[in-house]
Amino acid sequence: MKRKSTLFTAAAVMTLSALFAGYSGGIGVADAATAHRSPVTNGGTMVQTFPTAFGLNFIPFLSTSAYTAAATSYSFDSILRFNRNDQVSADIVNKWWTSPDKKTYYFQINPKARWSNGMYITTGDVKLGVDWLLSKSYNVTDGGSYGYLLSNVVGVPSSGYLPDGQTPSGFKILGPREFSVTLQHADAAALPANLVAITPLPTYILGKIPMSQWKGTPFDRHPWIGSGPFITTSIVPGQSITQKANPYYVLGAPHIAQNVWKVISTDVVNGDLASGQVTMAAIHAIDVAQMKKVPNLNINVVPSNGFQYLGWRLNNATYGSVFSQATFRQAVEYAINRPAMVKALYAGYGTLENGPLPPINFWYNKSLNTYPYDPAKANALLNSIGMKIGAGGWRTMPNGQPFTPTLTISSGDTTIQRQADFIQSFLQAVHINLKINPPINFNTILTQLNSDSNGKQPIQAFLLGWSLSNDPDPRGLWRSTDNLNIVTIDWTNPKDPAIQLNDKLIHESHGKAAYNINYRIATLNKWQALLNQQLPENFLFDANNVTAYNKNLHGVVFTPYGNLDPQKWWLSTGN
Amino acid sequence: MAEPLLKVRNLKTYFISKHSQVKAVDGVDFEVQPGKVLGIVGESGSGKSMTSLSLMRLVPGPQGRIVEGEVTFEGTDLLKLTERQMSDVRGNRMGMIFQEPMTALNPVLKVGEQIGEVLIRHRKLSKAEAKKQSIGLLRSVGFPRAEQIVDEYPHQLSGGMRQRAMIAMAMACQPKLLIADEPTTALDVTIQAQVLDLMKSLKNKNGTAIILITHDLGVIAEMADDVVVMYGGQVVESATADAVFDDPLHPYTKALMESIPVIDQDRDRLASIPGTVPSAANFPSGCRFAPRCTLAQESCHQKMPELRELKPGHYVRCDLV
Amino acid sequence: MAASVVSKAGVKSGGTVVKGKPPSRLAFERFMRNPLAVAGAIILLAIIFITVGAPLFTHYSPSVIDIMNTNAPPSAAHPLGTDPSGYDNLARLLYGGRVDLTVAFSAGVMTLVIGTIYGGISGYFGGWIDNLMMRFVDVMLNFPFVVFILFLEAVFNTSGELLLITVVVLTSWPASGRFMRGVFIQLRQQDFVIGATTIGAGAWRTIFRHMLPNTVGTLSVLVSFAVAGYVGLEAALTFIGLGLPLSVASWGGMLSEASNYTAMTTQPYLWLPPAIMIVLTILSVNFIGDGLRDAFDPQMRS
Amino acid sequence: MTSYVIRRLLGLIPTLFIITVIVFSLMHLMPGNAFQALIGLNPHIKDAAKVIAQRTANAGLNLSWPQQYVNWIVNLLHGNLGTSFEFQEPVTTLIGIALPNTVTLALTAELIILIIGIPVGVFQANRVNKGFDISTSLVAVFLYSVPGFVFALFLIFLFSFTLNWLPSMGTVTAAVPWSGDLGDRIQHLILPATTLALPSVAYYTRLMRANTLQVFFQDYVRTARAKGLRSTRVLFRHVLRNAIIPITTQFGFDIGGLVGGAVILEQIFTWPGMGELTINANLNRDYPVILATTLIFAVMVLLGNLFADILLASMDPRVRYN
């Protein structure tokens, strides 16, 4: 319930999706009914919130906090965006096509695309953005982690970076507004997962400064021009960012004159919403009933693009032989009453997850097994793998040894602690004697997960969650060789035929054939079905995104991938 | 006799709490003549200090209270004044010095300021003038380096110096009456003499009357013109000093005299008074000295004796003499 | 001039001497005459009784969840409703006091015991012993609490009640140690201590027999503030996520759980009962502390 | 006086040394560091374990800890507190933002404590056991009993949301630049500083009441009255002047404590100070920040003590500099 819950998932949220937080698209969730009642008015100030302090770097890709990234995404648009149907659509670039061998992408900058000071955006600005992402300064000195976006471009060495200011040979300027990017290997996910994120940078400011000095320059501390809908006018470190409408915004000048981001503790944000001091903020699902009673607020609920899971260390030295059996994990999935947990934890505002992609996702396989709550079936499955109920009413290992797995949770997060309590009670109901370890620091959990190659770490079961990016590309997390799989999923045994199939399907999902969308859907469906049946981890559910906003705010497009099109939002007066 | 400077009639000061009533001063009468020294003598607990505080209306509250009596000073009844009017009298027309020079001076204020503030208060002097006068006062009480002393703090002075500073403070406005509550008790014998001499000379110079409160009959013998002997919150004998020393009438006074060591008499041992001063919370019903009195008779335990004038100006509270 | 010898005999008889009653008995009588102190003692005993005897008042367990009945408003079955885990709030309130009282009183006792012994030794002996001991107190006073908790949590791979108490015990004594040193230094210069030393009483006997009883007043105030402070501390730590895990019921935990705008304005049954319990506990401890001070140190009363 | 201060300042060094050594060794007994979270959960870093090792080596964390400690001290002497693992910013930058805010908050709270605590305590002592004394004493204990964050929420609810008189977050109004005007800053200070002050106000009131009562019955106060001084002068020049001495000592001791006490309130009021920085650094094992904040807290407490001693010496002539 408290801010600590953000701590737990923050790290996970940041990495997979923060990059796209502001300018992503998804399936459309319509605005509130009030939107069309009165004519659009211009002007006004909108206040949005961050729950904790933001970082100090505002040059794109340099930010160290998700919140700075969110503010930056209002000021800098990338070349392309996702629309409300989660499809790539025009932004600074308004035309794009691929070569027949699918290795070269051609882009054309919208002739109306300008910086907020009126200067036109050119391919030189795009080039600076590309150079920056591949520069040694960014990748090494500043420790930037988004260089991977362009690592498939021709001319990028295996180290993943180039000397400062050097442009990869795969990037070509074809004219003041035309450029192309050539890849080393054809990749169906390259555009939606990587190239969309290329962000033009203002050459006439940053071009004059060596990249090694970008970090900490005045422009980094406070970028005064940009290409996004709102341009930063003032920053008070740790507390607020004020942005004004960009009259030259390529997708149309915003109606709202000013946007303020304020850091407000989640403990008081509901009050700020009720008093009208905050225009829009995420709230806890559990508060929805009370907040619906506040007369000046609308509540919007959309499913989130992510999932939470109960993980097992499949290679655990003590119980790995049980954990690694899919039947065991299926039994667990049946044993847990997930609807009841969603009701208790999120007042019902949550979505059950049955596979690696949430049901809201465009690519979701609708024919997956939903594992309805069925303790009898769970018991039967557990019996079938020889886990008999022994003395004290607890199941034993097939070899008769006691079976008392432990669940490790992070401290300071009451939601996770509740989740653990519920899971424990459901597993105990099917005679699994799950114990919950005293909560420990999240970093300690990570350390233990990171160094668990021999299965000797104390961690046996754990709870974790991911937020996902727009494109369902499973690489980075699900391949048996992916570091994050090793750390957070542990589904890596190369001899397991299911895992071999997993790697094969993932490979096929982005190869050349996958440029055919139907092929890609079919492959991803097969992959989802495999994971749904294998359950490398016990998929649970995810909390919905609950947003409370003032009734005077109109035009917001709520999607699982963010609140889109801020340039179209407007504030009615005299509410 | 001339009109007395101070006339105390039937003064009663009680400590009243929920559970008890303590008669610290129980109907005291005496007079002080202008320019004369009245000695009040008695053991600790006899009510002499509380009498002196009552005269200044400094009885510690809220339990301590003057319940009855008249204190007529230069024709006005002090007990009828408002607190504000009374504060115009204190330090101005009546000065007071206390037993403990160690604690009676404020440790965090300079000596000069503590003297000067009296002058500023009553003589409306400026700070600078007050300081100048303070130096003069300090010199008059025998400080050779008075200019330095004004800027020193009490802890930098010795006990005798502090007491002299106290006297300077009390005498600053040349009061008509100085109440000295055991001024020498806490001092060395040699210093005692200095202080007493100082008081005597000031008296002679300014014509200040003094109420000298002490348990030390030697001091009384040296200083006092008149003597009041107190016991159990009451006056048991009052007369001129000569009368009291030559012809003590009350058995208590006699006993006190017995206990003075006299150098030229070769006595085997000093007489002492058996027993202790009764607690003010539960006085005996009859004569308060009766339980310790060697002469006490049955009647003494029954009835409280009146203060009678046995000889002209010599009052005694004893039915046996 | 005659020297004064008169009446030194039988001087020290100022107050009421009631024969045959030891000072502790007198103190007890004075304590019992103080209505606030007696009320404080009764309230504290009542609180201890209901927390220790919690099973007498509710048949719910504070650690059994009920997923089908979470976030329920007050009802006949659950007079204070249930929390998001389905715990019965009344049961958590009754049992929760055990943790708060344990934490607070272990802090109080440590303040008392270590503070007095440490401060006593340091203040009594003075010199280099004092210097060394006070430098150590400086270090401990400066020691960041949060680092301590995180360290213990990380190294012992655990969290919860025992950890919290350990940290409280480790960090509660230095302030009182320094304070008591000051008290002992003052006492050391007083006549009765000098007297005791001159008649050859040993250091330990002087400290414990002669000096200690004179510190009771100061100590009682220190302890009452320590107890109050650490009840609040438990709540504060839980609030920032460093306190007790959810599975351990505590007043501070309940209060911090309900410390958000929505609960504060619409669900008083969540935060008012633990808040009242905390305030009552601290109030009663304070009244008892005042009463003890007045009882042992009658000069302090006006 | 100056030489005394210098000597005392030099005397702080051993204490600081021991504190940093202890913190240093404790930190190195803790598993994990900030890179674990930063890199360990990034799906796009190819060889996370290697990168973590690299970063760890770059940060000097694979040296023996005495060596690391020496490095840290050497850097410290050059005014360099290292670079935050988490924010990838110089620690001095982070502290440069946080410390002034926290100090402002703590000093304002101290001011409120003294402005309310001293007069109320004196007034209570003046009317001991009367209605005012008893009622304010009860209020004081109540203030002391209720945890600060509960008050914080209550005050925000009342003054910010219901009455709309005062802002509930930050040090300045959002759109105003960092150098916002004084009135705006004071408005922002009122709620957090009051909340921070409340428990201490209670404590100081009690302390002041007890001190004043004690001084009331001192001989020199009777002397002052015997001199015919007006009761106000007796109270202010003689009673208060003495009763306030222990308060000033306590005041110095508390400066450091208040800074620490602000940790939670800073979060509720979004006061960008040391609190958030400290908690965050500790949770994320951001060693350079942990060390720097520990050092600063320790320096604050020690300077507070020093300040208390100097105050005491300047207020009480009996105390000498030695």
Side-chain angles (χ1 to χ4, degrees):
Chain A
M1 242 186 109
K2 314 217 78 69
R3 83 189 58 71
K4 286 81 75 178
S5 55
T6 60
L7 179 90
F8 177 77
T9 40
V13 169
M14 260 192 69
T15 48
L16 275 170
S17 79
L19 175 62
F20 303 105
Y23 42 106
S24 51
I27 65 160
V29 177
D31 185 16
T34 54
H36 309 291
R37 214 171 281 160
S38 44
V40 170
T41 49
N42 289 333
T45 298
M46 163 175 65
V47 179
Q48 303 188 69
T49 68
F50 302 140
T52 57
F54 49 87
L56 299 173
N57 306 101
F58 291 88
I59 285 180
F61 301 113
L62 198 47
S63 58
T64 47
S65 87
Y67 312 126
T68 323
T72 304
S73 76
Y74 268 45
S75 294
F76 294 93
D77 270 22
S78 53
I79 56 171
L80 291 165
R81 65 196 286 263
F82 289 91
N83 65 15
R84 64 180 62 187
N85 299 316
D86 200 23
Q87 297 305 310
V88 174
S89 62
D91 196 297
I92 290 173
V93 161
N94 66 342
K95 285 184 186 146
W96 66 97
W97 60 94
T98 52
S99 63
D101 68 352
K102 308 292 184 196
K103 283 191 177 175
T104 303
Y105 286 78
Y106 296 93
F107 299 94
Q108 195 171 57
I109 295 175
N110 187 332
K112 286 190 285 185
R114 300 200 206 193
W115 293 106
S116 57
N117 61 356
M119 290 173 73
Y120 285 95
I121 299 173
T122 66
T123 42
D125 298 330
V126 177
K127 175 180 167 294
L128 186 64
V130 168
D131 291 353
W132 168 237
L133 268 180
L134 290 172
S135 68
K136 187 174 183 194
S137 285
Y138 172 73
N139 286 289
V140 179
T141 317
D142 299 333
S145 48
Y146 292 104
Y148 80 91
L149 288 170
L150 299 179
S151 57
N152 191 15
V153 174
V154 169
V156 178
S158 61
S159 67
Y161 58 84
L162 293 164
D164 284 7
Q166 187 170 323
T167 311
S169 54
F171 179 84
K172 289 204 177 64
I173 293 179
L174 306 172
R177 290 203 300 275
E178 291 83 27
F179 62 95
S180 68
V181 178
T182 307
L183 302 178
Q184 297 168 15
H185 324 284
D187 187 336
L191 183 73
N194 300 337
L195 302 182
V196 285
I198 293 172
T199 303
L201 297 174
T203 317
Y204 89 101
I205 297 169
L206 289 174
K208 292 171 188 154
I209 308 168
M211 285 179 184
S212 57
Q213 291 170 25
W214 281 17
K215 186 176 188 179
T217 53
F219 192 79
D220 181 31
R221 292 279 184 250
H222 171 191
W224 56 88
I225 70 160
S227 56
F230 288 95
I231 309 304
T232 302
T233 55
S234 79
I235 294 172
V236 185
Q239 36 182 315
S240 65
I241 300 169
T242 308
Q243 301 177 315
K244 66 163 197 277
N246 172 7
Y248 296 105
Y249 185 46
V250 67
L251 299 175
H255 298 298
I256 293 172
Q258 205 165 215
N259 174 51
V260 179
W261 300 98
K262 280 187 184 177
V263 181
I264 294 182
S265 154
T266 52
D267 295 316
V268 295
V269 74
N270 290 3
D272 282 295
L273 281 162
S275 70
Q277 290 168 26
V278 163
T279 315
M280 178 161 70
I283 62 169
H284 289 299
I286 231 158
D287 294 336
V288 167
Q290 297 296 341
M291 294 300 277
K292 274 187 172 161
K293 294 181 191 154
V294 179
N296 64 336
L297 292 180
N298 282 329
I299 309 288
N300 181 283
V301 180
V302 285
S304 64
N305 186 23
F307 62 86
Q308 297 173 31
Y309 66 90
L310 166 65
W312 305 93
R313 294 309 296 179
L314 305 184
N315 67 345
N316 184 266
T318 319
Y319 300 125
S321 63
V322 171
F323 297 162
S324 58
Q325 297 186 49
T327 314
F328 168 75
R329 303 190 297 266
Q330 288 164 354
V332 169
E333 197 77 9
Y334 281 115
I336 298 173
N337 186 348
R338 292 178 293 153
M341 286 177 72
V342 166
K343 187 165 174 296
L345 294 169
Y346 307 116
Y349 298 104
T351 308
L352 303 186
E353 311 276 356
N354 304 308
L357 299 177
I360 197 67
N361 198 288
F362 174 84
W363 309 89
Y364 180 68
N365 180 346
K366 294 185 175 60
S367 60
L368 297 180
N369 181 2
T370 56
Y371 291 97
Y373 176 51
D374 191 346
K377 196 158 183 177
N379 276 320
L381 287 169
L382 290 169
N383 290 336
S384 76
I385 55 171
M387 298 185 71
K388 296 187 189 66
I389 300 173
W394 300 118
R395 289 186 187 277
T396 61
M397 307 265 287
N399 64 8
Q401 293 297 311
F403 182 63
T404 53
T406 56
L407 176 59
T408 300
I409 53 176
S410 74
S411 54
D413 184 337
T414 51
T415 306
I416 289 293
Q417 291 180 25
R418 291 215 160 88
Q419 217 169 307
D421 284 346
F422 292 141
I423 287 171
Q424 181 187 41
S425 76
F426 289 127
L427 291 188
Q428 285 179 347
V430 294
H431 310 284
I432 293 175
N433 190 10
L434 179 77
K435 302 244 194 264
I436 301 175
N437 281 335
I440 55 174
N441 182 276
F442 186 57
N443 256 289
T444 312
I445 297 181
L446 280 184
T447 308
Q448 294 183 358
L449 289 175
N450 259 323
S451 52
D452 192 28
S453 52
N454 59 3
K456 293 271 171 59
Q457 289 287 339
I459 214 158
Q460 293 178 346
F462 55 97
L463 290 163
L464 211 60
W466 286 110
S467 282
L468 303 178
S469 51
N470 292 77
D471 191 82
D473 186 3
R475 284 174 291 172
L477 180 60
W478 285 108
R479 286 177 301 188
S480 62
T481 49
D482 283 335
N483 177 57
L484 273 189
N485 185 349
I486 298 164
V487 173
T488 70
I489 300 170
D490 201 20
W491 199 44
T492 54
N493 181 1
K495 289 179 193 133
D496 186 334
I499 294 174
Q500 289 165 0
L501 179 59
N502 167 65
D503 286 1
K504 183 168 163 279
L505 289 171
I506 290 174
H507 184 73
E508 286 170 1
S509 74
H510 61 80
K512 204 166 157 187
Y515 277 86
N516 178 330
I517 190 164
N518 291 327
Y519 177 83
R520 194 166 185 221
I521 290 174
T523 317
L524 285 171
N525 278 355
K526 268 190 246 169
W527 175 67
Q528 290 179 66
L530 173 70
L531 266 60
N532 175 252
Q533 187 267 328
Q534 282 288 318
L535 294 174
E537 55 196 23
N538 284 108
F539 299 107
L540 298 172
F541 41 71
D542 203 16
N544 293 339
N545 293 333
V546 182
T547 310
Y549 62 101
N550 201 293
K551 281 184 175 158
N552 69 0
L553 177 67
H554 311 277
V556 182
V557 180
F558 295 98
T559 77
Y561 320 104
N563 308 329
L564 303 182
D565 290 338
Q567 76 280 4
K568 292 183 183 162
W569 307 351
W570 56 280
L571 293 161
S572 56
T573 47
N575 190 39
Chain B
M1 261 189 205
E3 178 65 23
L5 177 71
L6 177 80
K7 201 159 74 184
V8 177
R9 285 288 170 269
N10 194 28
L11 180 68
K12 291 184 178 175
T13 301
Y14 293 174
F15 283 80
I16 300 164
S17 72
K18 236 178 276 173
H19 309 289
S20 63
Q21 190 183 33
V22 177
K23 298 174 176 177
V25 179
D26 195 12
V28 164
D29 304 77
F30 60 83
E31 287 169 7
V32 180
Q33 303 303 327
K36 300 278 187 200
V37 177
L38 171 73
I40 300 182
V41 70
E43 289 169 276
S44 294
S46 60
K48 51 193 197 310
S49 282
M50 211 40 73
T51 304
S52 67
L53 289 176
S54 301
L55 302 185
M56 293 290 275
R57 284 181 44 188
L58 290 177
V59 181
Q63 285 99 333
R65 216 175 296 166
I66 300 170
V67 291
E68 211 183 319
E70 278 171 36
V71 177
T72 313
F73 178 67
E74 296 185 312
T76 33
D77 185 354
L78 296 182
L79 301 186
K80 291 207 170 73
L81 297 181
T82 61
E83 179 59 32
R84 210 175 164 76
Q85 289 168 325
M86 187 63 208
S87 74
D88 287 332
V89 176
R90 290 186 203 128
N92 187 13
R93 290 190 286 154
M94 276 167 83
M96 184 159 184
I97 56 180
F98 296 99
Q99 177 175 4
E100 293 285 345
M102 312 296 279
T103 56
L105 287 173
N106 193 327
V108 300
L109 300 182
K110 288 173 181 167
V111 174
E113 179 178 351
Q114 297 193 50
I115 299 172
E117 66 182 354
V118 194
L119 296 163
I120 295 171
R121 164 74 176 90
H122 296 295
R123 293 282 178 268
K124 311 280 176 264
L125 298 188
S126 71
K127 264 193 172 166
E129 290 170 81
K131 186 169 178 185
K132 226 171 82 186
Q133 283 218 17
S134 302
I135 296 173
L137 280 163
L138 283 172
R139 195 167 290 130
S140 73
V141 296
F143 282 102
R145 29 173 215 106
E147 290 84 357
Q148 281 153 279
I149 300 292
V150 281
D151 285 327
E152 280 180 7
Y153 289 97
H155 72 274
Q156 293 166 295
L157 307 183
S158 70
M161 288 161 91
R162 278 183 232 182
Q163 194 60 297
R164 279 188 282 158
M166 274 295 292
I167 293 171
M169 202 181 299
M171 297 300 291
C173 295
Q174 295 169 329
K176 286 281 177 300
L177 176 65
L178 177 70
I179 302 173
D181 186 0
E182 309 255 7
T184 56
T185 311
L187 303 177
D188 291 346
V189 180
T190 49
I191 310 292
Q192 278 186 12
Q194 287 175 15
V195 169
L196 289 176
D197 287 344
L198 172 64
M199 287 172 62
K200 221 186 272 175
S201 71
L202 286 173
K203 181 197 86 168
N204 294 338
K205 204 165 82 188
N206 300 332
T208 305
I210 297 175
I211 296 179
L212 182 64
I213 293 151
T214 182
H215 57 255
D216 187 339
L217 280 172
V219 173
I220 296 286
E222 187 175 327
M223 298 279 294
D225 299 303
D226 301 291
V227 174
V228 168
V229 182
M230 284 189 70
Y231 188 84
Q234 293 173 322
V235 175
V236 292
E237 183 162 4
S238 93
T240 61
D242 296 342
V244 171
F245 278 97
D246 296 345
D247 184 17
L249 295 176
H250 197 281
Y252 176 64
T253 319
K254 285 180 183 161
L256 280 180
M257 298 294 170
E258 294 288 303
S259 63
I260 304 177
V262 183
I263 290 161
D264 52 357
Q265 275 187 3
D266 188 23
R267 275 198 292 197
D268 289 344
R269 54 186 287 274
L270 284 175
S272 66
I273 310 171
T276 58
V277 181
S279 159
N282 42 352
F283 281 132
S285 54
C287 174
R288 287 179 186 166
F289 186 61
R292 297 167 74 191
C293 184
T294 46
L295 309 172
Q297 296 174 354
E298 190 57 35
S299 63
C300 295
H301 293 285
Q302 306 303 325
K303 183 177 149 287
M304 166 75 71
E306 292 295 312
L307 190 64
R308 293 177 298 144
E309 188 168 14
L310 277 187
K311 295 177 184 170
H314 196 147
Y315 297 83
V316 181
R317 192 186 291 273
C318 180
D319 290 338
L320 303 176
V321 291
Chain C
M1 195 190 87
S4 61
V5 181
V6 188
S7 81
K8 280 292 184 197
V11 176
K12 292 283 175 198
S13 59
T16 324
V17 176
V18 183
K19 289 175 190 75
K21 285 188 182 178
S24 57
R25 163 109 202 156
L26 274 175
F28 177 73
E29 283 177 0
R30 276 197 291 266
F31 183 87
M32 292 308 284
R33 275 205 301 270
N34 184 336
L36 279 181
V38 173
I42 291 172
I43 293 172
L44 189 65
L45 284 176
I47 290 172
I48 291 172
F49 177 68
I50 62 165
T51 52
V52 173
L56 301 174
F57 302 97
T58 177
H59 60 273
Y60 292 105
S61 156
S63 51
V64 170
I65 58 169
D66 179 2
I67 193 166
M68 304 319 275
N69 192 12
T70 57
N71 278 317
S75 63
H78 300 281
L80 297 176
T82 61
D83 83 344
S85 291
Y87 292 124
D88 175 60
N89 279 330
L90 180 64
R92 298 218 12 123
L93 184 74
L94 294 175
Y95 286 93
R98 293 179 180 181
V99 174
D100 285 82
L101 292 175
T102 313
V103 170
F105 282 101
S106 48
V109 168
M110 283 303 128
T111 302
L112 199 81
V113 175
I114 303 184
T116 308
I117 296 176
Y118 197 90
I121 294 172
S122 183
Y124 180 83
F125 290 104
W128 65 268
I129 296 182
D130 176 44
N131 217 324
L132 200 70
M133 290 176 83
M134 280 305 110
R135 290 294 79 75
F136 184 59
V137 162
D138 276 351
V139 171
M140 290 308 291
L141 274 175
N142 282 295
F143 206 79
F145 207 87
V146 176
V147 175
F148 228 154
I149 294 179
L150 288 167
F151 168 72
L152 292 177
E153 190 188 300
V155 170
F156 296 106
N157 223 342
T158 182
S159 66
E161 210 174 338
L162 199 64
L163 185 79
L164 192 62
I165 293 172
T166 311
V167 175
V168 162
V169 163
L170 283 174
T171 50
S172 66
W173 66 270
S176 64
R178 185 171 65 178
F179 192 90
M180 292 312 292
R181 165 185 173 261
V183 173
F184 273 93
I185 284 181
Q186 251 173 11
L187 282 177
R188 194 175 57 183
Q189 292 155 351
Q190 296 207 344
D191 294 344
F192 66 91
V193 176
I194 296 169
T197 327
T198 43
I199 61 167
W204 298 109
R205 189 177 162 78
T206 310
I207 292 175
F208 290 105
R209 196 79 194 101
H210 295 276
M211 292 165 92
L212 197 57
N214 286 284
T215 63
V216 170
T218 321
L219 271 178
S220 64
V221 178
L222 262 183
V223 169
S224 66
F225 273 96
V227 169
Y230 284 97
V231 170
L233 181 84
E234 189 269 317
L237 283 175
T238 308
F239 188 76
I240 55 172
L242 293 174
L244 298 165
L246 200 64
S247 52
V248 182
S250 73
W251 294 335
M254 294 178 79
L255 193 56
S256 86
E257 269 298 287
S259 291
N260 59 69
Y261 177 80
T262 312
M264 292 279 281
T265 49
T266 60
Q267 296 157 307
Y269 58 88
L270 288 182
W271 57 268
L272 208 51
I276 289 173
M277 293 305 268
I278 290 177
V279 171
L280 272 184
T281 305
I282 297 176
L283 264 180
S284 58
V285 170
N286 266 308
F287 285 149
I288 295 171
D290 281 358
L292 282 177
R293 184 194 58 205
D294 291 350
F296 279 95
D297 195 0
Q299 292 136 336
M300 274 297 288
R301 19 183 350 168
S302 41
Chain D
M1 166 82 187
T2 322
S3 74
Y4 169 75
V5 172
I6 291 170
R7 250 184 305 127
R8 281 294 308 267
L9 284 173
L10 290 177
L12 301 186
I13 293 171
T15 313
L16 285 175
F17 173 74
I18 295 172
I19 293 169
T20 50
V21 167
I22 295 177
V23 175
F24 222 92
S25 32
L26 287 192
M27 281 195 330
H28 287 271
L29 289 170
M30 285 194 239
N33 63 46
F35 302 131
Q36 226 93 53
L38 279 180
I39 296 153
L41 287 182
N42 187 326
H44 305 295
I45 289 189
K46 279 185 203 133
D47 199 346
K50 217 177 97 189
V51 177
I52 292 174
Q54 181 61 40
R55 288 279 188 91
T56 308
N58 289 349
L61 290 179
N62 52 354
L63 300 174
S64 71
W65 84 255
Q67 253 176 309
Q68 287 187 42
Y69 183 75
V70 170
N71 289 348
W72 184 73
I73 293 283
V74 169
N75 282 332
L76 178 68
L77 295 178
H78 290 95
N80 175 5
L81 286 167
T83 302
S84 159
F85 296 168
E86 196 193 354
F87 294 103
Q88 294 295 316
E89 285 285 333
V91 177
T92 42
T93 310
L94 300 173
I95 285 175
I97 294 168
L99 189 60
N101 289 331
T102 293
V103 169
T104 313
L105 183 61
L107 288 184
T108 313
E110 286 274 14
L111 204 65
I112 295 176
I113 291 166
L114 297 183
I115 286 177
I116 300 178
I118 292 178
V120 172
V122 171
F123 210 63
Q124 283 180 342
N126 221 2
R127 323 230 145 157
V128 71
N129 292 337
K130 298 269 169 55
F132 175 82
D133 178 32
I134 292 170
S135 56
T136 46
S137 294
L138 281 177
V139 171
V141 178
F142 180 75
L143 292 182
Y144 195 83
S145 316
V146 178
F149 59 86
V150 176
F151 271 119
L153 291 167
F154 177 73
L155 291 183
I156 290 176
F157 171 62
L158 186 63
F159 290 103
S160 206
F161 297 154
T162 309
L163 299 171
N164 209 358
W165 286 352
L166 294 166
S168 66
M169 58 79 56
T171 60
V172 286
T173 305
V176 176
W178 175 228
S179 54
D181 70 45
L182 191 64
D184 184 51
R185 278 155 180 265
I186 289 175
Q187 275 206 337
H188 280 81
L189 255 175
I190 293 175
L191 282 186
T194 308
T195 318
L196 183 57
L198 280 178
S200 299
V201 164
Y203 182 70
Y204 274 69
T205 307
R206 263 174 82 96
L207 203 60
M208 196 63 208
R209 175 179 178 270
N211 288 343
T212 311
L213 275 180
Q214 209 168 15
V215 174
F216 260 142
F217 296 99
Q218 296 292 321
D219 287 352
Y220 53 80
V221 174
R222 192 177 57 188
T223 310
R225 295 179 63 207
K227 289 193 287 193
L229 301 180
R230 293 261 190 251
S231 52
T232 46
R233 178 154 176 110
V234 174
L235 187 63
F236 287 108
R237 197 73 191 134
H238 290 267
V239 176
L240 207 53
R241 182 69 178 70
N242 280 283
I244 212 164
I245 290 173
I247 298 278
T248 55
T249 317
Q250 192 65 37
F251 175 81
F253 287 153
D254 281 358
I255 290 178
L258 265 189
V259 172
V263 166
I264 296 173
L265 295 180
E266 280 182 359
Q267 296 207 357
I268 294 181
F269 288 103
T270 317
W271 194 264
M274 298 289 286
E276 176 113 24
L277 196 62
T278 309
I279 296 281
N280 212 23
N282 277 293
L283 290 177
N284 287 319
R285 310 269 198 269
D286 196 343
Y287 296 141
V289 181
I290 298 180
L291 275 173
T293 50
T294 305
L295 183 73
I296 283 171
F297 279 127
V299 168
M300 299 271 254
V301 174
L302 292 173
L303 284 184
N305 292 357
L306 175 61
F307 182 62
D309 286 354
I310 293 171
L311 260 186
L312 180 66
S314 66
M315 296 197 77
D316 190 337
R318 287 165 294 186
V319 178
R320 291 292 83 187
Y321 302 110
N322 49 34

